């Protein structure tokens, strides 16, 4: 059982959206998103993401691995440390919260970079492999519409299921 998280801790800096997907026995069981704009404080937003972890842990504690997109600055993409000079770095803070909680629960946590999964698992490939459906310009899982944040979480779940830890 894999719970994949595409985290955005950004609360003060742009109202983030965290996508998640639960893969059970090789199939996407469900997915969703948590929107920072729905909360008054970043800790409330983060607590809602922790609820997603708690539900998965309660249902699948015997066999759960959490896969999370890592947060990295890439020099080759024009990102510079200077561009983050006044940032609160809320996404790394959120990842730290999730890391600590999962550690205390004894649930394995694996990090994957976005670049590991986005080129390998395009939307077209996810459709071809039957993980998602496309009707017109809209994507679905189990009849429920999924946005790019949820699809990014699906990419992480599928990649880990297929390849395990890849550095």
């Amino acid at each position: 059982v894999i719970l994949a998280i595409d985290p955005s801790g950004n609360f003060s800096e742009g109202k983030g959206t965290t996508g998640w997907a639960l893969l059970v026995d090789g199939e996407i069981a469900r997915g969703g998103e948590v929107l920072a704009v729905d909360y008054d404080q970043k800790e409330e937003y983060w607590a809602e993401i922790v609820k997603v972890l708690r539900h998965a842990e309660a249902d699948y504690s015997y066999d759960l691995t959490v896969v999370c997109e890592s947060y990295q600055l890439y020099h080759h993409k024009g990102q510079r440390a200077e561009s983050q000079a006044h940032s609160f770095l809320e996404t790394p803070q959120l990842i730290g919260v999730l890391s600590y909680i999962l550690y205390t629960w004894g649930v394995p946590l694996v990090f994957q970079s976005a670049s590991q999964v986005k080129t390998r698992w395009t939307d077209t490939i996810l459709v071809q492999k039957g993980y998602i459906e496309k009707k017109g310009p809209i994507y679905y899982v189990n009849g429920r519409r999924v946005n790019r944040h949820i699809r990014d979480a699906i990419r992480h779940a599928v990649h880990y299921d297929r390849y395990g830890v890849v550095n």
Side-chain angles (χ1 to χ4, degrees):
V1 177
I2 300 165
L3 174 63
I5 306 283
D6 178 41
S8 174
N10 291 342
F11 184 83
S12 304
E13 302 167 344
K15 301 292 185 187
T17 300
T18 293
W20 61 271
L22 186 67
L23 187 131
V24 179
D25 296 328
E27 295 190 16
I28 303 300
R30 59 186 181 265
E33 64 183 350
V34 182
L35 299 128
V37 73
D38 292 339
Y39 302 92
D40 295 326
Q41 297 178 331
K42 71 180 176 186
E43 292 82 6
E44 289 177 298
Y45 168 54
W46 297 354
E48 195 63 27
I49 298 164
V50 171
K51 283 183 187 177
V52 173
L53 298 177
R54 189 175 294 123
H55 288 287
E57 196 275 336
D59 292 344
Y60 302 103
S61 62
Y62 60 92
D63 196 26
L64 179 65
T65 298
V66 175
V67 177
C68 184
E69 183 174 293
S70 61
Y71 180 89
Q72 297 169 281
L73 293 175
Y74 297 101
H75 72 282
H76 65 280
K77 289 191 173 185
Q79 292 177 317
R80 302 277 185 256
E82 299 84 25
S83 71
Q84 297 290 314
H86 298 286
S87 171
F88 291 108
L89 297 171
E90 291 174 318
T91 297
Q93 288 181 50
L94 170 60
I95 290 171
V97 167
L98 301 179
S99 296
Y100 177 74
I101 288 169
L102 291 168
Y103 168 78
T104 63
W105 293 350
V107 174
L109 173 62
V110 175
F111 289 100
Q112 295 177 147
S113 69
S115 62
Q116 282 179 285
V117 301
K118 286 193 178 185
T119 54
R120 172 62 184 95
W121 299 100
T122 63
D123 289 336
T124 301
I125 291 172
L126 290 176
V127 170
Q128 288 173 349
K129 297 286 186 182
Y131 291 107
I132 62 176
E133 289 181 76
K134 184 175 182 186
K135 296 178 185 173
I138 300 171
Y139 295 94
Y140 297 87
V141 169
N142 301 325
R144 184 171 176 254
R145 188 176 180 163
V146 291
N147 65 22
R148 72 176 173 89
H149 300 287
I150 299 168
R151 291 195 314 274
D152 284 348
I154 291 169
R155 289 179 231 291
H156 283 287
V158 168
H159 192 78
Y160 183 76
D161 188 50
R162 183 74 174 266
Y163 300 110
V165 177
V166 179
N167 294 327

